[in-house]
Amino acid sequence: MNYSNSGLAFIRQTADNGFVFTGDSSSLAGVTKTDSVGNILWRHPYHLIDWNTYSNSVILNNENGYFIGYVYDGPGPEDPFIILKTDSAGNTLDSTNVNNNMVDWFQNSFTITRDSGLITANIRGDDLSFNLTKLDKNVNIVWTKFFQNTIAYAGIGSKCAIQTNDGGYLAAGFRTLPTFGAPEFGYIIKTDANGDSLWSKTYYFPNIYVN
């Protein structure tokens, strides 16, 4: 393992009281498993090619393995957001490209759902819109919904999403005004189980940066 230019992105405690974390080493995304006192048990880098990869998140799935997310910063303007399903030793079982190679994509966290799949919300940087994507337990995309800006707002973006008690989803993030230097507003949107919007709310908290 090359420790130059290394950093950690996300960490979880595992059932054996150890830890699993994602991070980057020399611009290469990877996941590392340790015991309860931080000794490395195994590590896997991902996307072993000539371009940089950046770690995002890791979450334990319901099959004693992990879901892992990273971004591939390839030769073109596209930044694929990849989600992997791995076994308990970090070996890849399945993978998917969530954003379909769209330009200027900002990946965010994902959350496990009651059917053992995932829900993830991600910002599109080209027009500050975002998508909400549901995946099954094998990281196959079930559906994707896009939420775009309106005339009154320059853009919207979501940083996270959860499943609600009624089986739908709630995404949280921000809205921006078209005026340069204008404040950001807190923003939530509630959807049904198929990702279709039911309602949304915008909040303003003076002197608080929405992130």
Side-chain angles (χ1 to χ4, degrees):
M1 177 179 177
N2 183 350
Y3 288 93
S4 62
N5 300 317
S6 298
L8 304 184
F10 205 88
I11 192 166
R12 299 272 188 182
Q13 188 163 28
T14 52
D16 60 0
N17 293 321
F19 304 94
V20 62
F21 56 81
T22 59
D24 308 318
S25 177
S26 297
S27 299
L28 182 66
V31 63
T32 301
K33 178 70 175 68
T34 76
D35 61 19
S36 60
V37 293
N39 297 308
I40 293 176
L41 301 178
W42 50 258
R43 170 176 163 77
H44 289 286
Y46 296 110
H47 228 106
L48 296 174
I49 50 181
D50 294 334
W51 299 93
N52 297 340
T53 54
Y54 302 100
S55 295
N56 171 238
S57 189
V58 60
I59 192 169
L60 283 69
N61 64 35
N62 293 332
E63 301 176 22
N64 199 35
Y66 307 98
F67 293 123
I68 297 163
Y70 71 90
V71 169
Y72 165 51
D73 184 12
E78 301 83 8
D79 296 321
F81 175 36
I82 310 297
I83 294 181
L84 307 175
K85 177 183 179 180
T86 78
D87 62 17
S88 60
N91 301 303
T92 299
L93 301 176
D94 296 289
S95 67
T96 194
N97 180 348
V98 175
N99 67 348
N100 196 27
N101 294 332
M102 291 184 179
V103 179
D104 294 332
W105 203 270
F106 300 103
Q107 81 286 4
N108 295 301
S109 62
F110 41 80
T111 305
I112 199 164
T113 52
R114 288 194 289 276
D115 61 359
S116 300
L118 293 169
I119 188 74
T120 180
N122 302 279
I123 301 169
R124 288 180 59 179
D126 53 352
D127 58 2
L128 274 183
S129 58
F130 75 93
N131 80 325
L132 189 68
T133 300
K134 177 68 178 72
L135 301 97
D136 67 18
K137 67 178 183 178
N138 295 316
V139 297
N140 299 304
I141 294 176
V142 179
W143 48 255
T144 296
K145 303 290 182 175
F146 288 91
F147 299 92
Q148 295 182 320
N149 53 357
T150 65
I151 296 174
Y153 292 91
I156 58 176
S158 179
K159 299 296 186 73
C160 61
I162 61 169
Q163 188 171 31
T164 53
N165 291 336
D166 61 2
Y169 302 95
L170 188 74
F174 64 88
R175 286 187 118 159
T176 59
L177 293 172
T179 305
F180 179 77
E184 289 185 349
F185 294 81
Y187 176 72
I188 59 174
I189 184 168
K190 176 69 172 68
T191 78
D192 62 17
N194 296 314
D196 295 315
S197 176
L198 298 176
W199 54 260
S200 63
K201 299 289 184 181
T202 301
Y203 304 95
Y204 177 58
F205 307 104
N207 303 316
I208 296 177
Y209 177 69
V210 179
N211 191 4

